[in-house]
Amino acid sequence: MTRSAILVALALAQTHVALAAGDKDSDSSGVSPATSAMLPGTAALLDTSEMANEASDLKKTLEKEFKIIADMVAKNSGQAVTIGFSNADTSVGVAAGTTEKGGKETVGADYKLPGGSLTKPLTAASIMHLVDKGTLKLDQYASPLIDSYIGKRKKQGDWSYKWTSCEDLWPSSYKKTVSTVTIEDLMAMKIKAPDFDGGPGDLPGVLWKKSFLDPFAILQLVQGQDWGKGGGEWGGYSSTNYVLLGMVLAEATGGAMPDEFDQGLYLPKSLKGYLAFGNNGQKVKDFTHIHVYSKHKGDWWNSAGPMVSWTASDILASGEGYARMIYEIYGTTSITKSGKEMAKQASTIKYGCYGFGTECRWYGKHGDSYCGKSLEGTDYGDLWGHGGSTYGARTVSLYNPTLKIAVSAGMNTDQQDDAVMNAFCLAYNTAINEVLKIPGKRKVSSSCKTFGTCCEPDPVGKSPTPRPGPSTPKPSPGPGPSPSPGGGGCPNGEDYGDDGGCGCIDDSAWEKNNSGGDCGWAGKDTAGRCGKKSDDGDTAYVACGATCTAKDSTSWMKGSDSSSNCNWVAGDPQDRCGKKMDGSGEHAYEACPHACGCPDSKKYVKKHKLKKSALAELAAKIAEAEDSVAVRVPTLVAVCVLAGVALGGVAALLAPKAKEPTEQEPLLAVSKTESFGL
């Protein structure tokens, strides 16, 4: 029989399993995660429409709740507000307020705001794209590329500067520092170029008068100043670093001058329309109806000043656009394969952590808490991205790797950083509730004098101590061996890590003392038969891991977060199987043996070089998912007949399984009166 016919048969059977299994161990599409992951491509036959419906529902809900937040922030601040969201399935954008003070035009969800330093993650990701390809290297000296780029510009004429190289620009620092500065040094702010922003001179005054400075004029502002490693609260942070990186990037991709260089050259086509770049003297009004108000001079709508410094800070986007860009950088490989690498701490700045164009810590040192105090130090407090503060605008867009979502917030003023932080925190925690489908809506806010409504979220998974009641026993279906860590390589390439096994596999060759009793036979009476041995002395506990290993606990969880359960362990067993439950000290590999790949069977699997076939895996899923022989038999018969496989090896798996004990779910502490959108 052909492989394609077998796959079709398996897909049909998987569909039947999903429908029969209902909501047991499944997501809202009715498809169990294990079933969906069995054979690449077949899950798409089952849940595409349901996933689309879920994405549509999430979009509608977030649009409604984000609009409530945006309206509140706009009303209390008197400013325009944008909020955005993005994940793999959908994106959202809302806005509130008017385009100018005292005006009547309402801000549209697609209206753009200048993003300032939100340009930096895109510049860094574009460079990492070239590093991924081998075109550039992180330890490559930057000055030769910069010098070549400056030389190209001089040859075009109209060159009024006395310098033509990095050595000319910074003669006192060149040999000591500049000549050996690497691309990584600049991206990670390990070495600080003299910063045009905040340095000597009146930059706002210059920009207000001239409106626009190209990158070469920016370098003229810091000509002759010393390089260093930085100091003070911002460490080595300097926007000049990213002007120089723009020259590196442009030179490495053909040498286009700033006014012709495509800063979005590696963006997905679907995202390009959401972003704009003020790289040629365009004014804010050329991109958006939103006026931008600064403590410096007032309204900068009729100026190019807010987009000063090219690849350091010239981006404009809507709230949805900023969220989508940050999601693409850190949550996909569409721009670079190195999004996670970008977020690793490489130096220290104001918030304590800077990677490659990435601010990777958003709470603590200065009392700021973009995630909310209760999330600090948790997986949900881990945020990657950047903030942007330019003349008349403040923006932020951050990605959480646990939820795989990005959220953004922005306002048309540079004077209300705390209001932007509050808007982001409220939106982010609202998104957590909806993405995790937290029952009853965990509280995210409370009343306060500062903003009217402040972000004060409950912890994710906050719950009282579980009340006494029945709970899942520890995995011990009979007198089997005590659970123990695994470790080492596996013959099927499915290593679950040092604390896990090689996957839960039944050995079709195992037999009780030449009696014909196989794993299926053991499965009919696990308590009485899984302790039986073969002639080789191997018990069914280790030889029939899929059948004789007890089901995962439903009461184990790491810490107080009820979502950090055995399903959570299964998401990353190599990292999580060694985790302990608070209080009892019980390891995940003890309480969640299936999630950890049946550690007790690992030595046996390795010894006999066992590999799990797709059909055996499907049979196990059918037996696990369904309780009715009348339903299971026709499904498995259809699969085996189509695939040309005898039923004998899997028939025993069809026996009805005893119902597992259930436990009382912990209560979730919520407040319906104080939660947003309720």
Side-chain angles (χ1 to χ4, degrees):
M1 190 170 186
T2 65
R3 174 179 172 81
S4 60
I6 292 174
L7 290 177
V8 169
L10 291 172
L12 291 171
Q14 284 178 296
T15 305
H16 188 80
V17 171
L19 294 174
D23 62 358
K24 184 176 69 174
D25 296 328
S26 66
D27 58 24
S28 61
S29 68
V31 181
S32 72
T35 302
S36 297
M38 277 177 51
L39 291 174
T42 58
L45 297 173
L46 309 177
D47 60 0
T48 303
S49 61
E50 289 296 331
M51 290 174 63
N53 289 338
E54 281 195 15
S56 177
D57 290 344
L58 177 64
K59 182 178 180 72
K60 290 177 182 177
T61 300
L62 289 181
E63 283 177 344
K64 178 181 178 181
E65 298 199 29
F66 282 7
K67 189 65 167 69
I68 293 171
I69 296 170
D71 285 341
M72 181 273 296
V73 175
K75 180 179 179 181
N76 290 333
S77 66
Q79 304 292 337
V81 177
T82 65
I83 296 175
F85 168 91
S86 184
N87 69 1
D89 302 315
T90 192
S91 61
V92 172
V94 303
T98 56
T99 57
E100 59 182 314
K101 292 180 179 179
K104 295 183 179 180
E105 182 183 357
T106 301
V107 177
D110 60 343
Y111 286 15
K112 294 178 174 66
L113 272 177
S117 288
L118 262 171
T119 315
K120 291 180 173 71
L122 180 59
T123 301
S126 299
I127 287 177
M128 291 306 294
H129 178 97
L130 296 178
V131 172
D132 294 340
K133 291 174 58 178
T135 304
L136 293 175
K137 295 181 179 179
L138 290 175
D139 60 357
Q140 184 174 344
Y141 291 159
S143 59
L145 291 165
I146 296 167
D147 288 349
S148 178
Y149 191 71
I150 292 172
K152 284 185 173 67
R153 172 61 186 87
K154 183 185 177 185
K155 287 180 180 179
Q156 291 185 351
D158 192 25
W159 183 259
S160 59
Y161 307 113
K162 296 181 179 179
W163 46 267
T164 58
S165 67
C166 290
E167 186 172 10
D168 292 344
L169 272 165
W170 301 289
S172 62
S173 300
Y174 183 75
K175 289 185 179 179
K176 179 180 178 181
T177 306
V178 183
S179 63
T180 57
V181 165
T182 66
I183 292 172
E184 180 176 347
D185 290 335
L186 293 175
M187 276 207 299
M189 307 289 187
K190 291 182 178 180
I191 300 294
K192 182 178 183 178
D195 197 357
F196 70 87
D197 185 15
D202 180 18
L203 179 61
V206 172
L207 287 172
W208 186 262
K209 182 178 180 180
K210 294 187 175 182
S211 182
F212 177 69
L213 296 174
D214 70 17
F216 305 100
I218 290 292
L219 295 186
Q220 177 64 31
L221 293 177
V222 295
Q223 193 270 334
Q225 297 178 24
D226 290 333
W227 285 57
K229 294 187 177 181
E233 69 174 13
W234 280 103
Y237 189 92
S238 171
S239 287
T240 305
N241 284 28
Y242 273 75
V243 176
L244 295 172
L245 284 169
M247 295 181 178
V248 168
L249 180 60
E251 179 65 16
T253 54
M257 289 296 108
D259 58 343
E260 297 178 346
F261 178 64
D262 179 9
Q263 290 175 242
L265 76 166
Y266 299 126
L267 290 173
K269 290 181 180 179
S270 61
L271 179 55
K272 285 196 172 187
Y274 285 86
L275 310 179
F277 303 94
N279 61 345
N280 193 24
Q282 305 99 315
K283 299 178 179 180
V284 175
K285 68 179 183 180
D286 296 325
F287 298 101
T288 182
H289 291 213
I290 303 176
H291 290 243
V292 287
Y293 299 97
S294 174
K295 58 187 176 184
H296 302 286
K297 309 295 183 181
D299 184 1
W300 288 70
W301 189 61
N302 195 34
S303 171
M307 289 83 74
V308 66
S309 72
W310 192 31
T311 46
S313 55
D314 70 347
I315 197 169
L316 301 97
S318 63
E320 184 175 5
Y322 285 128
R324 289 192 59 170
M325 179 187 77
I326 290 299
Y327 175 78
E328 290 292 336
I329 290 172
Y330 301 104
T332 77
T333 58
S334 64
I335 302 173
T336 176
K337 299 175 183 178
S338 305
K340 290 183 180 179
E341 185 73 18
M342 288 173 58
K344 291 181 180 179
Q345 181 167 1
S347 63
T348 300
I349 61 163
K350 179 177 182 179
Y351 293 101
C353 174
Y354 202 83
F356 296 162
T358 304
E359 291 178 296
C360 41
R361 185 176 175 88
W362 286 87
Y363 60 82
K365 186 175 179 181
H366 289 252
D368 301 334
S369 188
Y370 281 74
C371 59
K373 293 291 184 182
S374 66
L375 271 59
E376 294 179 6
T378 73
D379 289 344
Y380 304 107
D382 193 11
L383 296 168
W384 309 340
H386 222 287
S389 186
T390 187
Y391 302 109
R394 178 74 172 96
T395 52
V396 63
S397 188
L398 306 172
Y399 172 81
N400 176 257
T402 298
L403 296 168
K404 295 180 173 57
I405 65 171
V407 173
S408 74
M411 294 177 65
N412 64 334
T413 178
D414 56 17
Q415 302 178 65
Q416 298 194 34
D417 287 4
D418 288 345
V420 176
M421 176 176 67
N422 192 51
F424 175 89
C425 183
L426 291 169
Y428 176 58
N429 280 278
T430 297
I432 289 175
N433 285 355
E434 299 305 328
V435 170
L436 294 181
K437 301 178 182 177
I438 297 177
K441 305 298 183 186
R442 140 186 167 273
K443 181 177 77 70
V444 303
S445 64
S446 64
S447 298
C448 65
K449 292 182 180 180
T450 310
F451 304 113
T453 301
C454 287
C455 185
E456 293 184 4
D458 283 344
V460 176
K462 178 179 179 181
S463 63
T465 302
R467 295 176 293 180
S471 61
T472 303
K474 292 184 179 181
S476 54
S482 300
S484 58
C490 295
N492 55 2
E494 294 188 33
D495 197 347
Y496 285 69
D498 291 342
D499 296 304
C502 290
C504 297
I505 303 172
D506 284 352
D507 183 4
S508 60
W510 182 87
E511 185 180 9
K512 176 189 173 290
N513 295 329
N514 294 317
S515 66
D518 57 7
C519 291
W521 168 83
K524 293 178 180 179
D525 181 10
T526 55
R529 297 176 180 177
C530 284
K532 301 300 181 182
K533 295 181 179 180
S534 68
D535 286 343
D536 294 330
D538 296 310
T539 67
Y541 280 115
V542 296
C544 308
T547 295
C548 289
T549 300
K551 289 189 177 181
D552 291 350
S553 169
T554 59
S555 58
W556 186 92
M557 62 181 178
K558 181 183 178 294
S560 60
D561 185 352
S562 60
S563 67
S564 295
N565 51 24
C566 289
N567 288 335
W568 171 79
V569 172
D572 188 0
Q574 290 194 11
D575 181 62
R576 297 169 181 170
C577 285
K579 304 297 184 184
K580 292 182 179 180
M581 182 175 182
D582 291 355
S584 72
E586 185 179 23
H587 289 91
Y589 61 75
E590 298 173 295
C592 313
H594 282 272
C596 292
C598 292
D600 291 334
S601 299
K602 187 163 192 172
K603 289 182 180 179
Y604 185 93
V605 171
K606 290 171 65 178
K607 176 182 176 181
H608 295 278
K609 296 180 173 60
L610 300 184
K611 297 183 181 181
K612 188 187 300 183
S613 70
L615 286 171
E617 191 172 14
L618 178 59
K621 299 307 172 188
I622 293 172
E624 183 177 333
E626 304 180 30
D627 296 315
S628 168
V629 174
V631 174
R632 291 205 305 273
V633 170
T635 304
L636 192 56
V637 168
V639 173
C640 293
V641 170
L642 284 171
V645 176
L647 291 175
V650 292
L653 292 173
L654 300 175
K657 303 233 175 163
K659 295 286 186 179
E660 289 293 312
T662 58
E663 66 175 355
Q664 194 164 9
E665 291 292 331
L667 296 177
L668 188 70
V670 298
S671 169
K672 291 189 177 181
T673 58
E674 295 183 352
S675 295
F676 248 134
L678 299 180

